[in-house]
Amino acid sequence: TSKGHALKTTGAQEDAVASYQAALAAKPDHGDAWYALANLKTYRFTDDEIERMREQAARPDLAFMDRVHLSFALGKALEDRGDYADSFVHYERGNTLKRAQTRYSADAMSAELARQRDICTPELFARHEGAGDPAPDPIFILGLPRAGSTLLEQVLASHSQIDGTLELPNILALAHRLRGRRAGQSRYPEVLHDLTAEQLSAFGAKFIEDTRVHRQGAPFFIDKMPNNFRHIGLIHLILPNAKIIDARRAPMDCCFSGFKQLFAEGQEFTYGLPEIGRYYADYVELMDHWDTVLPGKILRVQHEDVLDDLEGQTRRMLDYLGLPFEDQCLAFHTTRRAVRTASSEQVRQPINRSGQDAWKPYAPWLAPLREALGEHG
């Protein structure tokens, strides 16, 4: 299974499939391999494979994570067959299992994002103007997972002057350090008011140095960690010349796609329809705040606009980055590079609309999501 993951990352899909199938031949209840096939997004299960998954899922002695993986895999297999009612049952089952395993609180997340709005004021940025590391190298692509950010990364990483890297953990790790060591008493983001110009510059320089290992030598590089949208104030203070692209997708498509996805870690808000809807609404509110206090800092790219006009949106992004247009950006699906996100196989194909309005067949079961989205639903 691990070999299959590595092969998938490099684009060797047929070999990856063979590895996953070999894992299942050795251990038929190995849910990780079943879900890995589903997570290719392009693999279609046979009748026999679906029956084998159902048999394993029915076992009372099945291990917890095998049950989770099989639930999500069956959800995808049945979605591809058009059996949306049964598909939703399995997606809901997998999410319910994962939700019970986490300590995620929508109230706590809303409060955390509200603190960013309260603390990161125009006065904060005016006080620290001129601080931070001046390096223009980083391009942050952020937003919600499953919003089309991997497509934007692949398009831009096809440019000769831009390296694609990973969903880098560095900003999240810095924010965690700034919270302090006292349990239950976070000093972040309030501590941003107390940092000196020297500290901010040092944090920025350390980010540039620590991420160098992921680069291939181009003058610019992409950090595609979606959760960085929570920390745009911190990013601006330590790297004032960094560029920030907000990858946004239609709310119902984005949220339901997240609900269908079993993430490795860090996206606990996706394991319930009310939770993910509320998170999307909180995200939009925080992005509105960043637009107000840092006018012109962020370029918003709507996924549906990219589908409608790839060249126009590519030129728009490159203009924002101050880079010349290159034709290879439009042939992004031919660019050979490691891609580690759930969209790895999708961005190795020409642009398509297969994910647009994918929520609509599930509309009878999505009232909790619509309600949580409020005006965005």
Side-chain angles (χ1 to χ4, degrees):
T1 302
S2 295
K3 182 181 178 184
H5 294 338
L7 290 164
K8 171 192 173 183
T9 296
T10 61
Q13 184 180 32
E14 288 186 11
D15 292 336
V17 168
S19 280
Y20 295 141
Q21 290 175 335
L24 292 168
K27 194 172 189 299
D29 64 347
H30 189 46
D32 192 6
W34 285 116
Y35 182 66
L37 288 170
N39 202 33
L40 289 169
K41 311 300 184 188
T42 54
Y43 185 81
R44 295 297 177 263
F45 291 98
T46 65
D47 291 343
D48 176 65
E49 287 173 326
I50 292 174
E51 185 56 35
R52 286 160 57 198
M53 282 194 283
R54 288 189 185 276
E55 289 174 2
Q56 295 299 328
R59 285 175 46 187
D61 62 337
L62 190 65
F64 177 83
M65 277 310 299
D66 289 324
R67 191 172 302 282
V68 170
H69 280 117
L70 277 163
S71 296
F72 280 92
L74 278 165
K76 179 66 168 66
L78 294 166
E79 178 181 6
D80 292 337
R81 296 294 183 91
D83 187 353
Y84 300 113
D86 202 11
S87 168
F88 184 79
V89 166
H90 289 284
Y91 281 138
E92 176 67 24
R93 182 174 298 153
N95 278 290
T96 299
L97 289 167
K98 283 295 291 182
R99 192 164 63 250
Q101 192 186 39
T102 73
R103 297 180 179 178
Y104 179 76
S105 163
D107 288 341
M109 180 57 70
S110 293
E112 180 180 324
L113 299 186
R115 285 173 68 199
Q116 291 283 342
R117 299 196 300 273
D118 293 341
I119 299 302
C120 295
T121 60
E123 292 74 24
L124 169 68
F125 299 119
R127 184 183 314 130
H128 290 308
E129 190 171 357
D133 189 284
D137 310 23
I139 302 166
F140 292 91
I141 301 180
L142 41 73
L144 262 66
R146 308 300 296 154
S149 57
T150 302
L151 174 59
L152 301 188
E153 177 196 37
Q154 184 76 351
V155 168
L156 292 178
S158 300
H159 195 283
S160 62
Q161 297 188 51
I162 303 175
D163 284 331
T165 62
L166 300 165
E167 295 183 353
L168 302 175
N170 303 67
I171 294 296
L172 303 186
L174 175 57
H176 182 73
R177 280 177 51 210
L178 291 174
R179 287 188 173 93
R181 298 183 180 276
R182 219 174 263 185
Q185 295 186 351
S186 174
R187 299 177 61 239
Y188 176 79
E190 288 83 354
V191 70
L192 294 178
H193 283 272
D194 302 328
L195 297 176
T196 65
E198 291 75 18
Q199 286 175 307
L200 294 172
S201 296
F203 288 145
K206 182 170 174 55
F207 177 89
I208 296 297
E209 184 58 34
D210 289 351
T211 55
R212 200 172 301 281
V213 65
H214 302 293
R215 301 171 64 176
Q216 304 297 318
F220 302 96
F221 72 100
I222 297 168
D223 176 350
K224 204 189 75 64
M225 174 60 75
N227 299 356
N228 281 337
F229 84 86
R230 306 176 194 170
H231 308 291
I232 288 176
L234 173 62
I235 290 171
H236 179 72
L237 290 172
I238 70 171
L239 294 161
N241 294 320
K243 294 293 195 289
I244 299 174
I245 296 175
D246 173 26
R248 191 167 296 190
R249 184 180 177 191
M252 291 295 289
D253 269 336
C254 185
C255 292
F256 188 58
S257 184
F259 182 77
K260 294 189 299 179
Q261 182 69 41
L262 175 59
F263 293 96
E265 59 182 358
Q267 312 296 1
E268 289 88 356
F269 64 90
T270 62
Y271 298 125
L273 293 173
E275 288 83 357
I276 194 169
R278 182 167 168 184
Y279 188 87
Y280 188 101
D282 287 342
Y283 146 75
V284 171
E285 190 171 354
L286 182 55
M287 292 307 302
D288 287 347
H289 172 76
W290 297 132
D291 287 342
T292 299
V293 298
L294 295 170
K297 175 73 177 179
I298 301 159
L299 180 73
R300 184 153 299 112
V301 180
Q302 191 72 33
H303 181 62
E304 293 73 21
D305 292 343
V306 178
L307 299 182
D308 290 340
D309 182 12
L310 175 61
E311 180 173 344
Q313 291 299 312
T314 299
R315 289 183 180 276
R316 180 170 169 256
M317 288 190 290
L318 293 174
D319 285 347
Y320 166 73
L321 298 173
L323 293 173
F325 177 78
E326 291 181 1
D327 288 331
Q328 181 58 34
C329 292
L330 302 186
F332 62 87
H333 54 285
T334 68
T335 298
R336 294 189 60 81
R337 53 179 289 266
V339 182
R340 291 170 173 82
T341 69
S343 304
S344 61
E345 296 311 303
Q346 292 166 302
V347 299
R348 293 186 174 114
Q349 302 172 5
I351 203 160
N352 65 81
R353 298 179 178 273
S354 60
Q356 198 167 14
D357 293 335
W359 65 271
K360 287 188 174 179
Y362 293 88
W365 306 284
L366 299 185
L369 173 56
R370 280 189 177 280
E371 185 176 341
L373 280 168
E375 63 182 288
H376 306 291

